[in-house]
């Protein structure tokens, strides 16, 4: 059975969701990454510690918001942590993920959350900002790419 880790990165609240190939949520968590000096170093250390718990994943799918300057250090730090743990990665833009899952790249976050609930019975009780839903959508995208 394949396991895919979806990652939604944000300074305010990042999220990780581990789905198996039947779209069952195996683990999920959110955590902040505080702004400030040495962001790369702090983010790298955090991701290295977090990924120890997910080293059984067959793939890590990262929502790629590289066009946003604040995002680049987080993406770089997560990619380095994945390499350290020998985890294969796939980066996809939000519109690529939404197009693959819902058939339209301009679907809203609310539509993605509704799709996750209706198609796979994936729902999160504490999903402020829909970070967990975004991470779950990344993982669902990864499951499709493995097929």
């Amino acid at each position: 059975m394949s396991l895919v880790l979806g990652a939604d990165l944000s300074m305010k609240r990042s999220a990780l969701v581990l789905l198996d190939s039947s779209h069952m949520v195996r683990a999920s968590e959110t955590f902040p990454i505080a702004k400030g000096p040495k962001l790369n170093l702090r983010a790298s250390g955090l991701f290295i510690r977090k990924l120890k718990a997910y080293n059984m994943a067959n793939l890590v799918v990262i929502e790629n918001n590289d066009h946003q300057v604040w995002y680049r250090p987080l993406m770089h730090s997560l990619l380095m942590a994945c390499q350290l743990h020998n985890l294969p990665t796939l980066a996809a833009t939000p519109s690529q993920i939404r197009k693959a899952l819902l058939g339209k790249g301009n679907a809203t976050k609310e539509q993605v959350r509704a799709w996750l609930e209706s198609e796979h019975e994936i729902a999160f009780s504490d999903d402020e900002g829909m970070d967990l839903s975004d991470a779950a959508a990344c993982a669902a995208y990864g499951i499709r790419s493995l097929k």
Side-chain angles (χ1 to χ4, degrees), residues 6-16 31-51 60-83 89-91 131:
D8 177 53
L9 305 180
S10 169
M11 296 284 195
K12 185 176 178 185
R13 186 173 119 143
S14 290
L16 298 173
F31 50 92
I33 302 173
K35 293 180 184 177
K38 299 185 181 177
L39 173 64
N40 279 358
L41 185 61
R42 286 183 295 105
S44 293
L46 176 66
F47 288 136
I48 288 167
R49 288 189 304 278
K50 295 278 183 197
L51 288 179
V60 178
V61 179
I62 307 164
E63 185 179 73
N64 186 356
N65 289 310
D66 196 24
H67 63 280
Q68 298 177 1
V69 175
W70 62 265
Y71 181 84
R72 291 180 188 138
L74 299 182
M75 177 78 157
H76 179 73
S77 298
L78 181 54
L79 288 171
M80 285 184 5
C82 287
Q83 286 178 345
T89 58
L90 173 65
D131 305 304

Side-chain angles (χ1 to χ4, degrees), residues 66-129:
D66 196 24
H67 63 280
Q68 298 177 1
V69 175
W70 62 265
Y71 181 84
R72 291 180 188 138
L74 299 182
M75 177 78 157
H76 179 73
S77 298
L78 181 54
L79 288 171
M80 285 184 5
C82 287
Q83 286 178 345
L84 182 68
H85 290 288
N86 295 316
L87 293 169
T89 58
L90 173 65
T93 64
S95 61
Q96 287 173 313
I97 294 166
R98 293 170 184 176
K99 175 119 175 120
L101 299 179
L102 282 82
K104 56 182 185 174
N106 63 349
T108 66
K109 285 180 173 259
E110 292 81 6
Q111 290 171 320
V112 171
R113 178 168 39 186
W115 179 86
L116 287 166
E117 287 182 32
S118 69
E119 293 294 316
H120 301 295
E121 298 178 2
I122 297 172
F124 301 99
S125 58
D126 178 28
D127 198 13
E128 178 186 335

